[in-house]
Amino acid sequence: MIPLADDSSDSATPETFWEWLAGFSSTAITILIVVGVATLLHLIGARIIRRSVKRWVASGRSREDSMADTPEATVELQSMIMSQRREQRAHAVGQLLQSGLVLVIWGTATLIILTELGVNIAPIMASAGEVGVALGFGAQTLIKDYLTGFFMIVEDQYGVGDRVDVGEVIGTVEEVALRVTRLRDPSGVVWYVRNGEILRVANQSQGWTMAAAVIPVSYKSDLAEVREVVLEVGNDMFNDPETRQRMLGRPIFAGVEAVSGEAVYIKVLAKARAAQQIPLTRELRERLKGAFDEHGIVVPVITRPMGFDPDGIPITPGSGAPVNGVS
């Protein structure tokens, strides 16, 4: 016996189809709205970030244009020297903000779309939380490196071309990334230093540095004359266009650093531009030597102890005895 067709199921099929179509249309419209809103927020946020970066750079340039190169230049004048660094830092921060913006907006949009498609995101969120906890414990060092690198870039602690001391390594920065910093020491060796391991940074190229020369003169020298000679040399160096490029102020006579039975040690200071400390110090010593020779100021020969023997007696050069245990 052949069963009769169920009229109720046939009549319900069109209604079920239209209900499914209506639900599908509603879901599709919701997804389109979510994608449209996410795209709009992305474009607006990216535009705001780009305009903020441009304003940051423009404000720095306008400040630099209003500064005058005065003889007694100060730290503020270094903004003109570091304009390129400021622009690089602004663009780096802008890229980081844009990456964070994409992650937040499109991550949220993806969760909303999955919910509309009927996907239960609770297990996904729970799994993501467990994975996050596992990564948090297993990748603490990596996270620390990235966070430290981010703040180094934001705070502009150092940049490419700077000579820095990061603890165990002293060298020139060749690359600054979020995880590692690449340095090249004076011997040419390249060092890769994890940012999370950098506890303190001594930047010798940021802003300005101080060139210092300690020179002995005869104990019988007239310090007033020595002071006048130092000031004269300072004025000559400051008025020299070639030397002026390395300086941010006239060299000054800082005073007497030490006194011994053989000599009086005087200290001369000069504010140098970034990364110009060493060449300016050499130029200062050379010019002081020539000026002292012209004015008859004697730089005495100093005999210094180089070590002590087991009895505590100083060992002087030329005695033939070992110095600090090394022959």
Side-chain angles (χ1 to χ4, degrees), residues 5-27:
D6 190 358
D7 296 338
S8 61
S9 61
D10 293 340
S11 61
T13 300
E15 296 179 1
T16 304
F17 173 75
W18 289 110
E19 289 176 359
W20 174 84
L21 184 61
F24 177 79
S25 300
S26 176
T27 302

Side-chain angles (χ1 to χ4, degrees), residues 106-169:
W106 290 106
T108 304
T110 301
L111 294 177
I112 296 175
I113 291 173
L114 290 176
T115 303
E116 289 295 325
L117 293 175
V119 178
N120 185 9
I121 64 172
I124 298 177
M125 298 298 293
S127 300
E130 294 176 358
V131 172
V133 172
L135 290 176
F137 282 104
Q140 293 183 20
T141 302
L142 187 63
I143 295 173
K144 180 181 178 182
D145 292 340
Y146 276 100
L147 288 177
T148 304
F150 171 76
F151 285 109
M152 283 181 176
I153 294 175
V154 172
E155 297 172 359
D156 192 27
Q157 296 181 13
Y158 54 80
V160 176
D162 286 356
R163 180 177 174 82
V164 298
D165 178 356
V166 294
E168 297 183 358
V169 182

Side-chain angles (χ1 to χ4, degrees), residues 167-188:
E168 297 183 358
V169 182
I170 301 176
T172 302
V173 179
E174 292 191 342
E175 183 181 3
V176 182
L178 287 178
R179 193 178 71 86
V180 297
T181 295
R182 190 176 74 203
L183 302 172
R184 187 178 297 273
D185 66 15
S187 63

